[in-house]
Amino acid sequence: MADATPVLSRSDRGVAQYVRLLAIAAFTPGCVGVYVDLQGTAYPALHASARPHEDEPLGSKLVADATPSAAIGIGLGLDFDDGRSSRWSIGYSTESYTLGGNGSARQHFNDLRLDVSVQDLGPDARLRLVAGGGIGAGSTRFLREDGTFYGASGGSARVYSGPAYARFVGRHSVFSLMLGGSFVILGAREWVVRGWGLTTHLTWSWSFVDTHPDVVFYRPLDKVDLAAVEASGVALGCRLVHRTKTEVHLDCAAGELEIHQTERLLHVHCIRSTPARCEGLFERIHENRSKP
């Protein structure tokens, strides 16, 4: 009996693998969002050579190092921001190359990128280190030394890294500008085109939820009447979410606030806030509690 199991082509397998990656990413905890990435790279000189372990192809040599090359592209995908401390993304990008010697190329990549914050530059700005890359495929067209053109398709790959300045705008958006280095490999059948370049990525990410991290601080206050805290918050326009003997949870215009009574301290927890906003909300509720 013949085996009825379908045989997937290489491109079908690549799509299936990409769908699986997206499915895994969709169930990853964090601030899930989407992003758009504009890319530009300058390559001083891409080098074309025969594939390793193969003889140089017959025919006139490619003009690969005649003039500098450049690439522009755009990427789209899913974005995951971990409380503004780090970010990773998975997506798809397409790039158009102007190659030395009147050549050109169009490439498509599956893109994976990680941004790690290394320095806070204020409540809404971060200095990050970026590492990213991906594999893909596309077509390459080069001028031969005899004046004819050589065109072929093949697999490709690229990696890039560098510092980035990230600026958060509001509760859902962040703009990031990265300047760094890039290395690309473009497959063209018997030939391989490769080289280093200087790249820049301008990225806009939008999260479906507030990207602020939770804020926690303590106050040396014991024996606080949480019923009075609840009444104070409600008087200021907050909504009571729940209250127990040792905890009160309020939903206010400035954010959600949980106050826990411990033995000698008040444990204050603000959900997705900033230290200034959280402490200001607590102080308003605390001061209003003591008013007649």
Side-chain angles (χ1 to χ4, degrees):
M1 180 182 237
D3 187 359
T5 303
V7 178
L8 296 179
S9 67
R10 179 180 297 180
S11 60
D12 290 336
R13 290 195 299 271
V15 171
Q17 176 69 11
Y18 188 55
V19 170
R20 283 195 292 270
L21 289 173
L22 288 178
I24 294 171
F27 290 98
T28 302
C31 299
V32 182
V34 294
Y35 75 88
V36 177
D37 183 47
L38 302 179
Q39 312 151 14
T41 309
Y43 296 99
L46 293 178
H47 175 67
S49 61
R51 287 188 175 277
H53 311 300
E54 291 187 11
D55 295 332
E56 184 168 313
L58 297 177
S60 181
K61 188 177 179 182
L62 303 183
V63 179
D65 305 316
T67 59
S69 305
I72 57 172
I74 184 171
L76 304 168
L78 295 177
D79 179 273
F80 303 86
D81 195 293
D82 183 18
R84 301 193 173 189
S85 63
S86 63
R87 166 195 180 262
W88 72 275
S89 63
I90 180 172
Y92 171 85
S93 65
T94 179
E95 283 191 311
S96 178
Y97 291 74
T98 300
L99 303 175
N102 297 319
S104 63
R106 290 187 179 276
Q107 302 292 324
H108 308 277
F109 297 96
N110 295 331
D111 194 70
L112 183 64
R113 170 173 160 172
L114 174 65
D115 299 35
V116 178
S117 295
V118 295
Q119 182 67 47
D120 288 355
L121 303 176
D124 295 316
R126 303 286 186 273
L127 176 64
R128 288 173 163 176
L129 288 180
V130 175
I135 58 175
S139 60
T140 304
R141 184 173 180 266
F142 259 117
L143 180 68
R144 289 190 175 104
E145 290 181 341
D146 62 5
T148 62
F149 278 93
Y150 172 88
S153 299
S156 56
R158 66 167 182 170
V159 292
Y160 56 89
S161 65
Y165 173 78
R167 181 74 182 183
F168 292 88
V169 179
R171 301 185 180 186
H172 299 273
S173 292
V174 56
F175 290 88
S176 174
L177 178 63
M178 189 209 90
L179 294 174
S182 175
F183 182 77
V184 67
I185 299 175
L186 308 178
R189 265 201 318 264
E190 301 97 340
W191 296 93
V192 176
V193 182
R194 59 169 64 89
W196 291 95
L198 178 65
T199 188
T200 180
H201 288 246
L202 177 61
T203 310
W204 170 73
S205 302
W206 189 87
S207 175
F208 297 112
V209 297
D210 192 339
T211 60
H212 285 97
D214 289 0
V215 176
V216 175
F217 65 91
Y218 295 87
R219 285 290 184 269
L221 300 171
D222 57 353
K223 298 181 181 178
V224 173
D225 183 1
L226 293 184
V229 172
E230 173 194 341
S232 173
V234 171
L236 291 174
C238 301
R239 177 180 65 87
L240 176 66
V241 178
H242 73 266
R243 183 170 70 83
T244 65
K245 291 181 179 180
T246 60
E247 177 186 344
V248 60
H249 182 176
L250 299 169
D251 185 1
C252 308
E256 291 189 58
L257 179 75
E258 295 178 345
I259 301 175
H260 304 263
Q261 176 72 70
T262 63
E263 185 176 353
R264 294 183 178 179
L265 293 171
L266 279 184
H267 171 204
V268 182
H269 173 206
C270 289
I271 301 174
R272 302 197 183 282
S273 186
T274 65
R277 195 167 74 201
C278 183
E279 293 184 21
L281 175 59
F282 170 77
E283 294 298 339
R284 288 195 300 273
I285 293 175
H286 179 64
E287 293 175 2
N288 191 60
R289 176 186 62 88
S290 60
K291 293 180 180 180

